[in-house]
Amino acid sequence: AHVVGAGMCSGNASRADAVDWSAVDAIALQPYGTLPNQTEDWSDVPGGFNYFPELIETYRHIGKPIWVTEIGIDGHDVSQETQARYLKGIVPVIAALTDGPVFWFNFTDWNVDVMNYGILRGDGTKKLAYYAFQDVADLFFLRCRNSRVRHRHFHAGFHDLPDLGKFGELHEIGI
């Protein structure tokens, strides 16, 4: 079993300096609002206060593996196309630069009046982000099969689902 430290937000990494990390195996990072890269136009993505490759470097001095325990984008703030493009852009960058699993928040739009982060709508129908999730999962599955990388995971969060069966197959794969 792994002990993962508290989820650090995307902002000021110096706050982590006041924490004794000796009791944990890894630190959790929740980099909402970070952008995948500087080479594409991400002006339609809210937040945008940092680029993930730069953010991750500010946490490296802790000396622990970094797990991205939440990343996502609210469908209220962006189009379905932008949500899917963001997922396909950010997840490969995170996987390339971190040591642990990546958790996409969330599996469904569980409270559509408040949160719309899911890859499925509240009624279980697929959003464009669902297909982006499949594409990214397939890419990592092939990369893992064709190389000797150690086992890692890419998940869509499902904190909110009482009955997973009605939504079909859940993609939880090793990357």
Side-chain angles (χ1 to χ4, degrees):
H2 294 283
V3 177
V4 181
M8 302 297 292
C9 293
S10 306
N12 187 349
S14 66
R15 293 180 188 154
D17 295 339
V19 176
D20 176 5
W21 295 103
S22 63
V24 301
D25 300 310
I27 62 169
L29 184 63
Q30 298 172 352
Y32 288 99
T34 59
L35 302 176
N37 57 55
Q38 296 182 38
T39 58
E40 295 178 61
D41 178 12
W42 296 102
S43 60
D44 55 346
V45 174
F49 50 82
N50 208 339
Y51 293 95
F52 188 79
E54 295 168 2
L55 176 70
I56 198 73
E57 288 307 314
T58 65
Y59 287 94
R60 292 242 186 258
H61 72 282
I62 296 170
K64 298 283 184 173
I66 297 171
W67 291 22
V68 174
T69 56
E70 283 187 30
I71 184 71
I73 188 169
D74 192 343
H76 284 119
D77 298 332
V78 298
S79 68
Q80 275 199 54
E81 292 82 9
T82 298
Q83 186 184 37
R85 184 172 70 92
Y86 181 74
L87 188 153
K88 286 178 91 167
I90 194 75
V91 171
V93 172
I94 291 170
L97 297 175
T98 63
D99 305 309
V102 179
F103 293 88
W104 180 263
F105 182 81
N106 201 6
F107 193 63
T108 65
D109 295 338
W110 60 278
N111 183 342
V112 296
D113 294 330
V114 179
M115 295 182 142
N116 206 357
Y117 285 80
I119 62 174
L120 298 178
R121 292 178 192 86
D123 65 3
T125 57
K126 297 171 184 172
K127 294 167 55 177
L128 293 177
Y130 178 89
Y131 300 104
F133 182 90
Q134 280 188 315
D135 290 346
V136 172
D138 289 346
L139 168 75
F140 288 122
F141 177 74
L142 290 173
R143 185 181 297 168
C144 188
R145 268 184 69 192
N146 293 330
S147 69
R148 302 265 180 205
V149 298
R150 61 187 174 72
H151 190 69
R152 292 179 57 199
H153 294 279
F154 172 43
H155 307 267
F158 46 89
H159 314 95
D160 54 317
L161 290 179
D163 177 16
L164 283 176
K166 70 180 182 179
F167 294 108
E169 184 178 335
L170 172 65
H171 280 77
E172 185 175 303
I173 56 104
I175 59 170

